[in-house]
């Protein structure tokens, strides 16, 4: 074999070896892309209920403080018929998941604080079997909560939720401007609706009849919160802190400025 041919074969072999060594690293880089988070389905959402638990009212006071075992945020209250619309925007939190199954919801609604009616829509950020689950839903009590399971929701998405009453029906609308979808549902409302309250809430929902552990959502910031088209603060809403049955804070709302406030996770 000539020396020229031997040299050529050596170069070719070295190149082949280099490519072979590089290929696994390239493949590893290509497969390192994070998986899209799991999405909420009706088989999950139908087990949930978003009604108020354990509210302590302070009648006759404005800007009062309340506690609840599953709600945290602000609720404007009044006489029957006082509220016909509520809206807010927020950035979908990214949950931190461990091995425990935990849940959290973020929504707006009419009724619910002081009565058994509720017309609402919002999003979900759960940890189920250690995996993050995100999604969107609407609910009219006492019917089961309904997932919009043909949409995608991810941490960091920009959401706007609105519930309105037009004198005969309620319309619940949820928009994800990041993913580019809008969902709307019209319903006659709860049979005993009063339109006596308007809420903007972060929540630990009830699951299969028991209050869920609260998923670690960090902090969620609500902006542009309005009741009847006016900044939520103008309705002198009550501030609701979520605590457990022993009084330990689960989620704490910050101060309300016009239509903006945040809720911070404290404990499950």
């Amino acid at each position: 074999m000539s020396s020229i041919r031997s040299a050529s074969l050596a170069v070719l072999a070295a190149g082949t070896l280099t490519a072979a060594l590089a290929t696994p690293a390239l493949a590893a880089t290509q497969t390192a892309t994070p998986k899209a988070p799991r999405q909420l389905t009706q088989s999950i959402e139908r087990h949930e209920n978003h009604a108020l638990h354990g509210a302590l009212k302070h009648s006759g006071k404005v800007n009062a403080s309340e506690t609840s075992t599953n709600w945290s945020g602000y609720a404007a209250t009044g006489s029957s018929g006082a509220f016909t619309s509520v809206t807010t925007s927020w950035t979908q939190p990214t949950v931190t998941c461990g091995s425990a199954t935990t849940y959290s919801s973020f929504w707006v609604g009419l009724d619910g604080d002081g009565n058994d009616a509720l017309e609402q829509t919002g999003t979900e950020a759960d940890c189920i079997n250690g995996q993050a689950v995100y999604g969107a839903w609407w609910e009219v009590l006492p019917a089961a909560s309904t997932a919009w399971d043909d949409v995608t929701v991810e941490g960091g998405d920009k959401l706007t939720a609105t519930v309105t009453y037009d004198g005969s029906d309620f319309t619940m609308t949820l928009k994800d401007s990041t993913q580019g979808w809008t969902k709307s549902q019209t319903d006659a409302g709860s049979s005993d609706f009063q339109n006596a309250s308007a809420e903007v809430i972060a929540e630990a929902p009830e699951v299969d009849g028991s209050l869920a552990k609260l998923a670690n959502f960090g902090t969620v910031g609500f902006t542009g919160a309005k009741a009847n088209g006016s900044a939520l603060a103008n309705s002198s809403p009550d501030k609701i802190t979520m605590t457990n049955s022993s009084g330990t804070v689960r989620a704490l709302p910050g101060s309300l400025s016009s239509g903006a406030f945040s809720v911070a996770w404290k404990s499950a």
Side-chain angles (χ1 to χ4, degrees):
M1 181 182 292
S2 70
S3 59
I4 295 175
R5 184 181 180 190
S6 297
S8 298
L9 289 173
V11 171
L12 178 60
T16 302
L17 177 61
T18 300
L21 291 174
T23 299
L26 177 60
T29 300
Q30 290 174 335
T31 58
T33 303
K35 292 182 178 179
R38 184 180 171 190
Q39 295 297 306
L40 184 69
T41 62
Q42 184 57 17
S43 63
I44 297 172
E45 185 60 26
R46 66 184 176 85
H47 293 278
E48 298 189 28
N49 179 289
H50 301 276
L52 177 65
H53 286 255
L56 302 178
K57 295 291 292 181
H58 297 267
S59 299
K61 297 181 180 180
V62 296
N63 295 319
S65 293
E66 304 179 359
T67 62
S68 164
T69 52
N70 72 321
W71 285 11
S72 184
Y74 283 85
T77 58
S79 59
S80 180
F83 299 98
T84 57
S85 70
V86 59
T87 188
T88 197
S89 298
W90 69 93
T91 298
Q92 177 74 5
T94 300
V95 287
T96 300
C97 296
S99 59
T101 292
T102 57
Y103 296 80
S104 62
S105 298
F106 314 95
W107 53 267
V108 299
L110 293 174
D111 288 317
D113 189 345
N115 60 41
D116 294 328
L118 191 54
E119 301 83 20
Q120 57 184 159
T121 186
T123 60
E124 196 91 3
D126 305 331
C127 295
I128 299 178
N129 297 324
Q131 183 179 3
V133 177
Y134 299 100
W137 53 270
W138 63 276
E139 183 176 48
V140 173
L141 293 180
S145 187
T146 300
W148 274 309
D149 55 9
D150 57 347
V151 299
T152 297
V153 178
E154 296 187 7
D157 285 3
K158 306 299 182 184
L159 282 303
T160 299
T162 304
V163 178
T164 59
Y165 178 67
D166 64 5
S168 59
D169 292 306
F170 293 86
T171 300
M172 293 151 284
T173 302
L174 186 63
K175 177 181 179 181
D176 187 326
S177 57
T178 303
Q179 301 292 339
W181 56 259
T182 300
K183 286 291 185 178
S184 188
Q185 178 69 33
T186 299
D187 192 278
S190 301
S191 60
D192 55 348
F193 78 84
Q194 299 177 31
N195 288 348
S197 65
E199 301 89 17
V200 178
I201 298 293
E203 178 198 40
E206 179 185 290
V207 180
D208 289 329
S210 299
L211 289 186
K213 290 184 177 180
L214 182 62
N216 184 354
F217 60 82
T219 300
V220 58
F222 295 102
T223 59
K226 296 180 180 181
N228 293 344
S230 179
L232 187 60
N234 295 338
S235 297
S236 299
D238 297 334
K239 181 179 181 180
I240 305 174
T241 298
M242 191 192 309
T243 67
N244 64 19
S245 57
S246 300
T248 300
V249 175
R250 304 177 74 192
L252 183 67
S255 59
L256 175 63
S257 176
S258 185
F261 69 96
S262 62
V263 176
W265 181 91
K266 295 298 181 182
S267 65

